[in-house]
Amino acid sequence: MAGSSSDLRQRKAVGDNAKPVTTTDEGRKSDKLLDEHHGYEFGGPWGVTAMMVGFPILMYYLWICLWFYDGKLVAPSSVDDIIPFLQRMWTHVRESIRGLIIYQLFLAWVMPGYQQEALHYYHIFRLTEIINNYGHLMSVAMIYGFAVSFGVYFLTVATGNQIRMSGNFIYDVFMGACLNPRIGPVDLKMWAEVRIPWVIVFFLAVSGGCHQYEQYGYVTPNMAFMILATWLYLNACGKGEECIPQTWDMYHEKWGFMVIFWNFAGVPFTSTAFPPPTYVLLFTVLLTCVLHVSAVFDWDTSMSQKSRFKMQTQGITTFRKTNRLLISGWWKYSRKPNYVADWVMSFCWGVIIGRATAIPYFYSVFFITVLIHRCGRDFERCSVKYGKDWERYCEIVKYKFIPGVY
């Protein structure tokens, strides 16, 4: 890597006669400490292996229950039925894998919205093909998730750009070997986090709406809600893209299976579930809409406050004075207001389906588990980085998530 750490962290102060300001020696020591491997997470090698094997199996199981059993969670009827049950499950998976078509993946991932609408309108490409090939696309996404994860790992190690390595092969594949790999000016991790999952999620919702309209002659209120909700999330990511480099995923998490598989397959195919049309009270729909839009506003503004505060402290919009902690805006009430709002949105995505099936609630249950675990990791890292300032911060901002509750 060209240049010293001093060169990389130097920022110019505001004003013609101001001198450049750099990070203190103490700050450099804490930054170096955070960039070293200090122990296993997620249960170590055995834990991450279980997740790498278990996540695809779970995703296939939820898809099979939703598409072939009307959302009912199926299980073997007896001990003797275990083998036949697994054979039935494999039959569905095999049919899904058999239908892999890269062209369909290309259409689902890359085609801009206005071109999709034109193709749909002129019967060149039906938007309903996306939802009709849900299982096929999910299979492609999972294969890409595994292929990119291992490919990036081997390429990173071969070029000597690995950081924060544990020395255990499968654990390092899961956590990642590189931080921000690029192709030219494109940051691949940022591209994969924004340009892939939420575009797929939105077009899955739009495709589901088109499918309902063609089959029933109308779009149900809960499906219309999902189209609006996924568009709001995609829109927020697009309009605030300059704020994303300051997020945990970008500046700390390495680009490994955990992030790659989640962005390629986990987010698009576990955050959305489209069971047959279900009746939900209009009051419930309106209440969920109000709750969701409020959560979007809280999430969007809190993320903007944090990211722009970090831009200032990192010298992007002004000079860097020192490591500082934000205690204004939404952040004076909670240490993670963005997590609370993000989870409320995921919960709304399940509530809007009603009680027809438990599958739409999987995402919110899984997501709160991820957020609580990440919160612990983040707080541990902050205690190392900020020291006594972090202890003082915790005295000022007492609550982790919900003010007055937790």
Side-chain angles (χ1 to χ4, degrees), residues 66 70-71 212 216 218-224 226 273-282 284-285 349-358 360-361:
L66 188 63
D70 293 329
Q212 277 194 352
Y216 304 105
Y218 63 90
V219 177
T220 59
N222 34 16
M223 180 60 80
M226 286 304 301
F274 306 107
T278 55
Y279 176 75
V280 180
L281 290 174
L282 181 60
T284 302
V285 174
W349 292 17
V351 169
I352 199 65
I353 305 300
R355 294 180 293 177
T357 170
Y361 294 92

Side-chain angles (χ1 to χ4, degrees), residues 173-194:
V173 170
F174 181 85
M175 297 300 294
C178 57
L179 189 60
N180 293 99
R182 290 176 174 272
I183 295 181
V186 178
D187 185 312
L188 294 179
K189 187 167 65 172
M190 184 166 171
W191 162 78
E193 176 145 327
V194 181

Side-chain angles (χ1 to χ4, degrees), residues 128-338:
T128 52
E129 289 299 306
I130 299 175
I131 199 70
N132 289 338
N133 288 280
Y134 188 100
H136 302 158
L137 294 172
M138 185 177 70
S139 297
V140 173
M142 286 195 285
I143 290 173
Y144 265 66
F146 274 94
V148 173
S149 298
F150 281 89
V152 169
Y153 170 83
F154 287 122
L155 181 61
T156 303
V157 173
T159 54
N161 292 317
Q162 66 271 26
I163 63 169
R164 235 184 297 146
M165 303 293 277
S166 72
N168 181 277
F169 169 70
I170 196 66
Y171 183 82
D172 287 333
V173 170
F174 181 85
M175 297 300 294
C178 57
L179 189 60
N180 293 99
R182 290 176 174 272
I183 295 181
V186 178
D187 185 312
L188 294 179
K189 187 167 65 172
M190 184 166 171
W191 162 78
E193 176 145 327
V194 181
R195 303 300 181 92
I196 292 180
W198 300 112
V199 172
I200 298 178
V201 167
F202 174 66
F203 278 114
L204 282 172
V206 172
S207 180
C210 292
H211 185 273
Q212 277 194 352
Y213 187 80
E214 288 190 353
Q215 189 169 1
Y216 304 105
Y218 63 90
V219 177
T220 59
N222 34 16
M223 180 60 80
F225 169 87
M226 286 304 301
I227 295 173
L228 172 64
T230 54
W231 177 81
L232 286 172
Y233 208 107
L234 177 61
N235 175 68
C237 291
K239 70 180 178 60
E241 195 170 28
E242 76 278 7
C243 297
I244 295 175
Q246 286 72 44
T247 61
W248 169 283
D249 283 351
M250 291 297 107
Y251 74 79
H252 183 74
E253 295 284 22
K254 295 184 291 181
W255 206 43
F257 179 90
M258 179 178 68
V259 176
I260 294 172
F261 187 86
W262 181 245
N263 286 328
F264 275 62
V267 169
F269 298 100
T270 63
S271 62
T272 54
F274 306 107
T278 55
Y279 176 75
V280 180
L281 290 174
L282 181 60
F283 174 77
T284 302
V285 174
L286 294 176
L287 183 62
T288 307
C289 283
V290 172
L291 179 61
H292 186 275
V293 171
S294 300
V296 170
F297 175 78
D298 293 348
W299 171 71
D300 201 7
T301 52
S302 63
M303 289 295 291
S304 177
Q305 290 168 1
K306 180 184 72 171
S307 295
R308 298 188 187 285
F309 173 78
K310 287 188 175 182
M311 287 181 187
Q312 293 177 354
T313 61
Q314 292 171 356
I316 297 174
T317 58
T318 183
F319 66 92
R320 178 174 181 166
K321 293 182 178 178
T322 182
N323 289 331
R324 294 180 293 179
L325 292 158
L326 180 61
I327 54 173
S328 61
W330 292 110
W331 300 86
K332 64 183 176 182
Y333 304 109
S334 166
R335 298 178 211 166
K336 292 294 183 183
N338 55 326

Side-chain angles (χ1 to χ4, degrees), residues 17-76:
N17 300 321
K19 295 180 179 181
V21 179
T22 61
T23 311
T24 63
D25 291 337
E26 184 179 352
R28 292 194 189 95
K29 289 179 181 178
S30 64
D31 287 342
K32 183 179 180 181
L33 185 63
L34 291 169
D35 279 335
E36 296 175 352
H37 175 73
H38 294 286
Y40 290 123
E41 299 178 273
F42 302 102
W46 287 107
V48 300
T49 301
M51 285 189 279
M52 292 175 72
V53 174
F55 280 153
I57 294 175
L58 179 60
M59 290 173 63
Y60 271 123
Y61 172 74
L62 294 176
W63 168 68
I64 290 170
C65 291
L66 188 63
W67 285 79
F68 299 100
Y69 298 94
D70 293 329
K72 180 182 178 182
L73 298 178
V74 295

